């Protein structure tokens, strides 16, 4: 160690002052690559403090307010080998250095390693979270929903094929208790044209799944976690186009591009298209001419889905007053035919839902080594049109077998409903670096939801929903003990005005206003360089959303504006192991949730109610191994025990017979696995061949309470064991790619919801081209 540094440290110790408060040091640097060209967007990280930054457009970076000591800088960039640099900082001295990165011989391998390195930075946060790096899946015919569904602790339940309604379960809590975001913007405010069940993987950089504690930066009222889609951002010019053709006349296309108009101005575009007939075969029961039930295999005949989405953004970057300022506008259109009721006992032939959305927003970001601020403001206009006016009743052959005098096919009143929604959202995030060990964060989110309908019965009852969510967090490091801590407090408030449906079918005005406080604590302990432990607690609140309060006809949901917010005590703990070849984790969770909003199974309409109280506990494990040459094995499994903690008085029943019983209609044991093989240099120096085989398992579970009824005749969702396999070939450093995959290889009968059969064996062919 430098003698001057030794003497300085000794002097600080003698006079009793910590060196980091006596005279701060700093480091600045330049990162270059091929031919000494400056490299922008390079990740530079200080290993000892977990601080990191990105180089600017000139390839420069800076860190201020550093203690005098030895540091190691880790530098990662796409297309270059990872580099490390050791340096000694003197008290009050600014150090400058230049770092030259070596070009990687194999660009494909480097991109994969760099992506995982960036994702690893997120994994090191104290919160319990899973990070899915999407780069290895860009050439595969995958959607965002399939990747999320294969993560530990997550179960996605769909009611059909492409575009069908999807419900997410995260550690047992359903999609209503889990919040969804795209770049930190709540998905609820973006319309049906931008949803996880149709989002292509090529528009995504990574997927962050928070289990338990949700960071205040998202401004979320999540009860048990959140899922945030991080879209692709690249400062270089690029174009990424993909097209997939699949069974059931399914077509999916996506396009991403960026063009730097000048040194500071840029334009970005994103678009995708989805269409499917969803006419896969299903097994049904059909009455014959004598009224007797006969089993038959038919194709779905009224389940087409179509969706288009386009987004254009123009921005200004690298200014003294702004790192990035952009405005964007996006339009989407969704058309969906509804084939059947919730239990698939009655087919429909004319029920449809169409939606058009226009999203507009502004983003601003500015940060220094000491402080930072991010702002988002947006307004969205969404028009939905639900039609159910046919008087005919149809069978599964698409034949009209009866005619009614009134009503619609869904056995309610005839509906030709146009719903117009205006959704306004503003969010402010800020941080201030108090010193090298402490950072203060603040976040405020305000949202307004306004709904108007052309229904004469409800025209006099406009729907308005307002929310305010605020949070304050202190991030603190204990370097001597290798512990990182995040302590947060949150405030939730909502007020709504809408309508309720009385027992006689009449409408009346309904009002509700609620406020809640919550807090959380998250800790991460780096036991060694490879092993870490995490623990967290949160007193969480989830506010009812607009579909639960006011219903959605396309989801066959009735309004209930009198719902109470859900609350929960959430505890998480776990261990992680990370090395160059192995990643493993074991996590446990406990939730005690009150006023749970739940929709009991129904053949026709859903009505959300407060089920009062339940206890969630379980364990999940995740394992990834790189072995041999090019082989990667991924395994995970989840067990969760969810029981009722509602007594007789609370539940409104005559006794406590359901107290301590497992909640029905929720999966409790499931797992996933995949083996992949990558061969670089296959049939060409810069080409790659990949092959994979994967399986997903879900144990059977009861539709209703296990204690009710005869064991031999109880309704169950059967065990699901589904396999998939595929191959992919890329040419010229990932410039061109072609992939083929088969899902549900054994053509098994698959159900996520009781009697709602999912697609059987299907084939998917994908073409992709990428230029940078």
């Amino acid at each position: 160690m430098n003698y001057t540094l030794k003497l300085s440290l000794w002097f600080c110790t003698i006079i009793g002052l910590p060196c980091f408060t006596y005279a701060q040091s700093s480091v600045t640097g330049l990162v270059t690559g091929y031919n000494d060209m400056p490299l922008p967007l390079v990740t530079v990280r200080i290993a000892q403090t977990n601080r990191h930054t990105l180089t600017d457009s000139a390839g420069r970076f800076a860190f201020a307010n550093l203690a005098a000591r030895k540091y190691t800088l880790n530098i990662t960039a796409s297309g270059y080998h990872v580099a490390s640099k050791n340096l000694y900082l003197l008290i009050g001295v600014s150090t400058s250095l230049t770092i030259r990165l070596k070009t990687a011989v194999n660009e494909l391998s480097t991109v994969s390693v760099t992506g995982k390195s960036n994702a690893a930075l997120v994994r090191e946060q104290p919160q319990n979270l899973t990070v899915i790096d999407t780069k290895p899946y860009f050439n595969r015919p995958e959607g965002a929903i399939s990747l999320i569904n294969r993560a530990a602790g997550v179960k996605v339940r769909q009611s059909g094929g492409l575009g069908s309604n999807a419900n997410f379960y995260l550690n047992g809590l359903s999609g209503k208790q889990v919040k969804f975001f795209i770049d930190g913007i709540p998905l609820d405010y973006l319309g049906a044209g931008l949803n996880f069940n149709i989002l292509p993987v090529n528009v995504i950089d990574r997927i962050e799944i928070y289990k338990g504690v949700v960071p205040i930066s998202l401004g979320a009222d999540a009860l048990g976690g959140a899922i945030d889609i991080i879209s692709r951002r690249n400062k270089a010019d690029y174009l990424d186009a993909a097209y997939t053709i699949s069974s059931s006349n399914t077509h999916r296309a996506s396009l991403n591009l960026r063009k730097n108009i000048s040194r500071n101005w840029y334009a970005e575009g994103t678009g995708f298209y989805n269409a499917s007939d969803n006419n896969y075969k299903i097994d049904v029961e059909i009455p014959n001419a004598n009224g007797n039930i006969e089993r038959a295999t038919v194709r779905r005949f009224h389940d087409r889905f179509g969706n288009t989405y386009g987004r254009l953004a123009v921005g200004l970057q690298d200014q003294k007053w702004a790192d990035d300022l952009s405005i964007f506008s996006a339009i989407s259109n969704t058309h969906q035919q509804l084939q059947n009721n919730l239990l698939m006992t009655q087919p429909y032939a004319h029920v449809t839902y169409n939606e058009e959305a226009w999203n507009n927003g502004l983003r601003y970001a500015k940060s220094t080594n000491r402080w930072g601020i991010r702002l988002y403001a947006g307004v969205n206009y969404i028009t939905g049109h639900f039609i159910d006016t046919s008087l005919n009743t149809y069978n599964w052959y698409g034949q009209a077998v009866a005619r009614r005098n009134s009503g619609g096919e869904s056995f309610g009143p005839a509906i030709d409903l146009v719903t117009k929604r205006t959704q306004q959202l503003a969010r402010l995030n800020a941080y201030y670096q108090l010193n090298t060990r402490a950072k203060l964060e603040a976040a405020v989110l305000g949202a307004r939801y306004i709904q108007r309908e052309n229904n004469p019965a409800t025209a006099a009852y406009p729907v308005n929903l307002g929310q305010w969510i605020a949070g304050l967090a202190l991030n603190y490091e204990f370097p001597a003990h290798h512990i990182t801590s995040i302590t947060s407090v949150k405030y939730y408030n909502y007020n709504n005005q809408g309508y309720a449906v009385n027992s006689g079918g009449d409408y009346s005005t309904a009002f509700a206003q609620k406020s809640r406080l919550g807090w959380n604590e998250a800790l991460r302990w780096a036991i060694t360089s490879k092993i870490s432990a995490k623990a967290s607690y949160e007193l969480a609140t989830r506010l009812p959303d607009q579909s639960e309060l006011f219903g959605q006809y396309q989801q066959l949901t009735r309004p209930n504006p009198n719902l109470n917010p859900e609350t929960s005590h959430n505890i998480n703990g776990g261990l992680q192991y990370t090395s160059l070849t192995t990643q493993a984790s074991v996590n446990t969770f406990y939730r005690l949730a009150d006023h749970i909003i739940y929709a009991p199974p129904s053949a026709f309409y859903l009505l959300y109610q407060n089920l009062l109280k339940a206890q969630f506990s379980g364990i999940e494990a995740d394992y990834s191994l790189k072995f041999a040459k090019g082989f990667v094995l991924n395994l995970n499994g989840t067990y969760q025990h969810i029981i009722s903690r509602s007594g007789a008085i609370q539940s409104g029943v005559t006794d406590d017979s359901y107290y301590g019983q497992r909640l029905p209609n929720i999966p409790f044991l499931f797992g996933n696995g995949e083996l992949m093989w990558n061969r670089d240099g296959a049939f060409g120096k810069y080409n790659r061949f990949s092959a994979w085989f994967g399986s997903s398992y879900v144990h059977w579970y009861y539709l209703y309470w296990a204690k009710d009824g005869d064991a031999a005749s109880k309704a169950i969702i059967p065990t699901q064991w589904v396999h998939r396999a595929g191959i992919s070939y890329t040419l010229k450093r990932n410039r061109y790619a072609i992939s083929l995959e088969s899902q549900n290889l054994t053509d098994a009968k698959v159900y996520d919801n009781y009697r709602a059969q999912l697609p059987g064996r299907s084939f998917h062919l994908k073409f992709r081209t990428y230029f940078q």
Side-chain angles (χ1 to χ4, degrees), residues 50-69:
N50 205 28
R51 290 175 59 184
H52 62 278
T53 186
L54 295 176
T55 58
D56 60 19
S57 59
R60 298 191 176 278
F61 69 91
F63 292 100
N65 304 317
L66 294 173
R69 55 174 292 188

Side-chain angles (χ1 to χ4, degrees), residues 211-440:
K211 303 169 184 178
V213 173
V214 177
I216 66 166
S217 59
L218 291 179
D221 57 326
L223 195 71
I227 300 176
D228 190 15
I229 294 286
I230 309 300
S231 61
R232 292 175 66 182
R233 299 296 304 271
N234 193 336
K235 282 197 172 184
D237 293 351
Y238 79 98
L239 181 147
D240 190 330
Y243 173 74
T244 304
I245 182 170
S246 310
S247 304
S248 298
N249 193 28
T250 300
H251 302 266
R252 307 188 69 177
S254 66
L255 175 67
N256 297 276
L257 56 89
R258 175 183 170 113
K259 177 63 179 176
N260 288 296
I261 304 171
S262 67
R263 181 178 179 181
N264 299 116
W265 289 93
Y266 67 89
E268 293 178 332
T270 300
F272 55 84
Y273 167 79
N274 300 284
S276 178
D277 288 345
N278 286 322
N279 59 343
Y280 56 91
K281 292 181 179 180
I282 55 175
D283 298 321
V284 296
E285 297 178 345
I286 305 176
N288 59 21
N290 299 321
N292 298 320
I293 299 297
E294 295 180 348
R295 296 182 180 274
T297 299
V298 300
R299 288 190 177 275
R300 297 171 72 87
F301 61 90
H302 184 69
D303 201 19
R304 288 181 181 174
F305 174 83
N307 159 258
T308 56
Y309 175 85
R311 178 183 184 272
L312 178 64
V314 177
L316 183 65
Q317 61 186 0
D318 299 332
Q319 301 294 301
K320 290 184 178 180
W321 50 271
D323 295 335
D324 188 89
L325 173 65
S326 65
I327 57 173
F328 73 87
S329 185
I331 58 173
S332 64
N333 179 279
T334 302
H335 173 75
Q336 187 168 16
Q337 297 177 337
L338 276 68
Q339 176 65 94
N340 49 261
N341 60 357
L342 297 174
L343 298 183
M344 218 175 80
T345 56
Q346 179 59 52
Y348 306 147
H350 297 285
V351 182
T352 62
Y353 178 73
N354 300 315
E355 183 175 292
E356 296 178 351
W358 181 27
N359 304 328
N360 304 275
L362 177 146
R363 295 179 184 270
Y364 172 81
K366 175 62 182 177
S367 62
T368 69
N369 289 328
R370 195 80 183 192
W371 59 269
I373 186 172
R374 288 185 294 125
L375 172 67
Y376 172 87
V379 57
N380 308 322
Y381 304 97
I382 302 173
T383 301
H385 190 189
F386 181 83
I387 301 176
D388 180 13
T389 57
S390 175
L391 296 175
N392 293 332
T393 300
Y394 292 84
N395 62 18
W396 280 106
Y397 295 117
Q399 302 167 337
V401 295
R403 187 170 177 84
R404 299 177 302 278
N405 294 324
S406 62
E409 291 183 81
S410 58
F411 295 94
I415 300 170
D416 186 354
L417 180 69
V418 175
T419 301
K420 294 187 176 182
R421 291 172 281 164
T422 301
Q423 302 182 138
Q424 303 160 349
L425 181 74
R427 191 190 65 189
L428 175 66
N429 296 89
Y431 74 85
Y432 184 76
Q433 194 77 37
L434 299 174
N435 53 51
T436 56
R437 295 190 296 180
K439 181 173 72 172
L440 193 64

Side-chain angles (χ1 to χ4, degrees), residues 449-471:
Y449 173 90
I450 304 170
Q451 176 179 304
R452 300 290 185 272
E453 300 174 349
N454 69 337
N455 185 353
T458 61
Y461 307 100
V463 171
N464 292 273
L465 174 64
Q467 291 186 353
W468 284 99
I469 301 174

Side-chain angles (χ1 to χ4, degrees), residues 70-86:
K70 178 183 176 181
Y71 292 101
T72 300
L73 298 182
N74 295 322
I75 304 96
T76 58
S78 176
Y80 293 87
H81 287 297
V82 176
S84 295
K85 179 72 174 179
N86 293 324

Side-chain angles (χ1 to χ4, degrees), residues 569-748:
H569 298 275
N570 299 339
I571 300 175
N572 285 81
L575 289 171
Q576 293 180 328
Y577 174 84
T578 303
S579 69
L580 292 176
T581 60
T582 306
Q583 287 187 355
S585 66
V586 177
N587 297 289
T588 60
F589 59 90
Y590 174 86
R591 315 271 189 268
L592 183 59
D594 205 355
H595 297 98
I596 294 177
I597 298 174
Y598 174 72
S602 170
F604 302 108
Y605 283 97
L606 294 178
L607 179 66
Y608 285 97
Q609 305 170 37
N610 287 110
L611 187 65
L612 296 182
K613 185 176 287 189
Q615 177 182 300
F616 302 71
S617 59
I619 186 171
E620 61 183 40
D622 206 336
Y623 179 75
S624 177
L625 174 67
K626 297 178 182 178
F627 64 99
K629 188 174 182 180
F631 283 92
V632 180
L633 176 66
N634 294 304
L635 299 170
N636 67 64
T638 303
Y639 173 79
Q640 53 197 26
H641 188 53
I642 309 170
I643 58 177
S644 172
R645 288 303 185 195
S646 298
I649 297 177
Q650 294 173 306
S651 303
V653 295
T654 56
D655 53 40
D656 292 333
S657 58
Y658 296 118
Y659 186 88
Q661 294 289 307
R662 171 175 284 155
L663 264 63
N665 200 27
I666 299 177
F668 64 88
L669 178 63
F670 49 92
N672 302 275
E674 182 177 271
L675 178 65
M676 175 186 285
W677 177 59
N678 299 310
R679 173 66 184 274
D680 292 326
F683 311 109
K685 182 177 180 181
Y686 299 112
N687 301 342
R688 166 180 276 202
F689 176 80
S690 301
W692 61 90
F693 176 84
S695 296
S696 296
Y697 172 83
V698 181
H699 195 67
W700 66 267
Y701 50 98
Y702 287 115
L703 176 64
Y704 302 109
W705 294 99
K707 69 180 295 294
D708 291 341
D710 180 32
S713 60
K714 290 180 182 178
I716 66 169
I717 292 83
T719 294
Q720 317 291 306
W721 188 256
V722 185
H723 312 286
R724 64 187 179 278
I727 56 175
S728 176
Y729 188 66
T730 63
L731 301 89
K732 296 185 177 181
R733 288 194 175 104
N734 209 26
R735 179 168 290 185
Y736 307 102
I738 182 172
S739 304
L740 176 66
E741 183 177 71
S742 177
Q743 297 178 4
N744 194 355
L745 277 171
T746 60
D747 199 27

